[in-house]
Amino acid sequence: MTHFLVLLLALFIGVVAGLRAFTAPAAVAWAAALSWINLDGTWVQWLAHPITVTVLTILAVVELVTDQLPRTPSRKTPVQFVARLITGGFAGAVIGTAWGYTFGGLGAGLIGAVLGTLGGYEARRRLVAANDGHDLPVALLEDAVAVLGGFAIAALTSIV
């Protein structure tokens, strides 16, 4: 059962990366820093370092701000999509590593990133259309879902 739950959390953190690319690695860095997941002696033990947590947090906040700008490219452009695949796969692999399922976590994170990118795009498009073209409230809602979801997933790693 633990294997399934770990992979499910890795999938969900990948979905978060599909919504906001840097939120997922920031969330798992905080989970490591707060000892919600144990990465000691692994290839990602550096993730719990205060400098790493700070840099990833800053990148996540900058992304939240820049997402509101009108010139921000679509998450479906190749560069944006690949960034989400990388961060989703990475965050999923981190969660998997804590329980010895690095490659399973990587795969689940990648799948989640695809789902989050495409599903998030479509959900936002439809919600904006239903909101008479007003993007900001929908974007802020998506920000909240990504941040709260990312940290909820990170917190759940402590009970798996």
Side-chain angles (χ1 to χ4, degrees):
M1 184 67 156
T2 300
H3 182 76
F4 174 76
L5 291 176
V6 169
L7 294 181
L8 190 62
L9 291 174
L11 177 82
F12 288 156
I13 204 69
V15 170
V16 168
L19 299 177
R20 295 291 178 271
F22 285 108
T23 299
V28 295
W30 275 102
L34 295 170
S35 298
W36 292 346
I37 56 176
N38 181 9
L39 300 176
D40 292 341
T42 70
W43 63 280
V44 284
Q45 66 185 12
W46 53 270
L47 201 59
H49 193 280
I51 292 174
T52 307
V53 174
T54 302
V55 168
L56 288 172
T57 300
I58 290 169
L59 289 171
V61 170
V62 167
E63 181 183 27
L64 293 173
V65 172
T66 59
D67 181 64
Q68 311 311 321
L69 302 176
R71 289 193 170 161
T72 301
S74 168
R75 72 186 84 200
K76 291 175 32 178
T77 63
V79 171
Q80 297 285 335
F81 203 113
V82 168
R84 284 163 165 72
L85 291 175
I86 291 168
T87 60
F90 171 75
V94 169
I95 288 175
T97 294
W99 286 273
Y101 306 122
T102 303
F103 293 108
L106 171 68
L110 285 169
I111 292 167
V114 171
L115 295 173
T117 301
L118 299 177
Y121 173 84
E122 190 60 28
R124 183 165 171 177
R125 187 187 68 75
R126 289 180 185 200
L127 288 171
V128 168
N131 195 28
D132 296 323
H134 295 97
D135 183 66
L136 183 61
V138 177
L140 294 174
L141 174 64
E142 187 179 7
D143 289 346
V145 168
V147 171
L148 296 174
F151 281 93
I153 293 161
L156 286 172
T157 61
S158 68
I159 61 171
V160 172

